[in-house]
Every structure is written in C-alpha cells, then in structure tokens.
Amino acid sequence: MKKKLLTVLILTFLCLSLWGFGKLYVAYNLSHYAGYYVQQLPRKEGTNPEMVIVLRHLNDIEKPTTNNLSYDFDGNGAILLANSVTLSQGINILLWNQNENKKYTFNNLGEFSFYYTNNIGEKKYDSQYQKEAELLLDKILPPILEAQPKPKINLQNLFNEKYFEQFNE
C-alpha cells in the first residue's frame, strides 16, 4: 500500500512539474519571439501591432546592435534613435523628436492619435503629422524586426489567439 501511494505521489509530482515547465516555456517562447510572431499577425488597417508589441516585450526580444539605436529599460522602457528620437510607452505610446520638439501620440493599438509641441492643449490631428511620425517609425522599427530570430517551436497560433482580438476590434 505504501509503495502504491509513493508511486502515485511521485507520478503526480512529475506530471505537475512537466505541466509547470510547459507553461513556463510557452510564456518564454511567446515573449522572446514576440517580434517574429507580430510580423505574421493579421491586423485591422491603421493599427501598428509591431510598435505596440516591440515596446511591450522590449526586455525579452532580440535587439540589434546598431550605432543609431539604444535602449532605456528604466520604467516602461524606451527606444532611442541617435539620442534625438525617443519611442516610449506609458499610458499611450509617445514618439518624441527632441531636436524639433515634436511629440506624436499613439493609442495602445498603435493608431495615431495626435501631435503637439510644448502645449498638450494644442493638439493637432492632421494626416501630415501622422506621415511624419510614420517616417520616424520607419527608422526605428525595421532594424528591430529584422533582428528577430525564427522560433524553434512555432507558437504563432497561440500568439494570434492572444493578440488577434486586440488589433482587430
């Protein structure tokens, strides 16, 4: 009787350990390869899931070592382009061109919200500013996305299940 009980306890412990390690691996895989998975994610037009996911998983994804890009991991994390353009996430996503003192704000879907300079009360919503922001983002995001490795175990379906609804509302 004691042998059976011991066997059951050992098997239960092994099964729970395997289940726990499996869950940990899935969480690691989805965050470490998020930059790869987001490129294949179906999305509604006008959203920018690459920007949102790269900022959300900045600590976990592969970061290219280019002369122009640097990273700040204090707080929510930020990507700096030539120490003059900052892409950071707080309540909203902020793209700030320090040289020209221009600030572009995006919502948490990566959709352009508004532009302002010193006074946030003077918001501008023109598509001209959206194009300026997209030009700056095109200098920041492509090198990061190109550096993303292909996962050994592809969990694209789980990633899509997790984020599809957010970027297709």
Side-chain angles (χ1 to χ4, degrees):
M1 179 71 175
K2 287 184 180 182
K3 250 185 177 179
K4 285 184 182 181
L5 181 61
L6 184 61
T7 305
V8 167
L9 286 175
I10 290 172
L11 286 175
T12 303
F13 175 76
L14 287 174
C15 287
L16 289 175
S17 296
L18 285 173
W19 178 76
F21 287 128
K23 298 270 293 175
L24 285 174
Y25 177 76
V26 167
Y28 161 79
N29 185 302
L30 290 178
S31 64
H32 184 73
Y33 297 108
Y36 172 83
Y37 293 138
V38 73
Q39 295 175 64
Q40 278 67 263
L41 179 71
R43 82 278 318 267
K44 180 177 78 172
E45 190 173 328
T47 62
N48 191 342
E50 287 87 357
M51 177 175 56
V52 175
I53 297 298
V54 162
L55 284 171
R56 185 175 295 159
H57 295 283
L58 190 57
N59 287 333
D60 302 320
I61 63 171
E62 294 291 323
K63 292 165 275 306
T65 53
T66 65
N67 294 339
N68 291 343
L69 290 178
S70 57
Y71 308 93
D72 178 6
F73 296 106
D74 292 342
N76 291 328
I79 304 168
L80 300 119
L81 174 65
N83 289 328
S84 63
V85 178
T86 304
L87 178 64
S88 63
Q89 184 170 15
I91 295 171
N92 290 312
I93 297 171
L94 179 67
L95 179 62
W96 178 25
N97 185 341
Q98 290 101 325
N99 291 343
E100 300 176 20
N101 197 28
K102 294 181 175 182
K103 298 173 183 117
Y104 308 90
T105 305
F106 299 84
N107 65 17
N108 288 323
L109 298 176
E111 297 170 323
F112 178 77
S113 296
F114 57 88
Y115 159 86
Y116 67 100
T117 53
N118 287 334
N119 186 356
I120 195 165
E122 297 176 14
K123 299 175 185 175
K124 298 179 180 155
Y125 302 91
D126 300 347
S127 63
Q128 159 198 346
Y129 300 112
Q130 181 176 358
K131 290 177 183 160
E132 286 178 16
E134 288 171 359
L135 288 173
L136 288 173
L137 287 173
D138 285 344
K139 295 176 184 176
I140 297 172
L141 293 176
I144 295 171
L145 294 172
E146 289 170 9
Q148 301 310 305
K150 188 173 183 177
K152 292 175 180 76
I153 298 174
N154 194 328
L155 300 178
Q156 183 73 51
N157 289 338
L158 287 176
F159 187 86
N160 289 356
E161 196 175 295
K162 183 175 182 178
Y163 291 108
F164 180 83
E165 203 170 293
Q166 177 181 349
F167 295 105
N168 287 285
E169 292 178 328

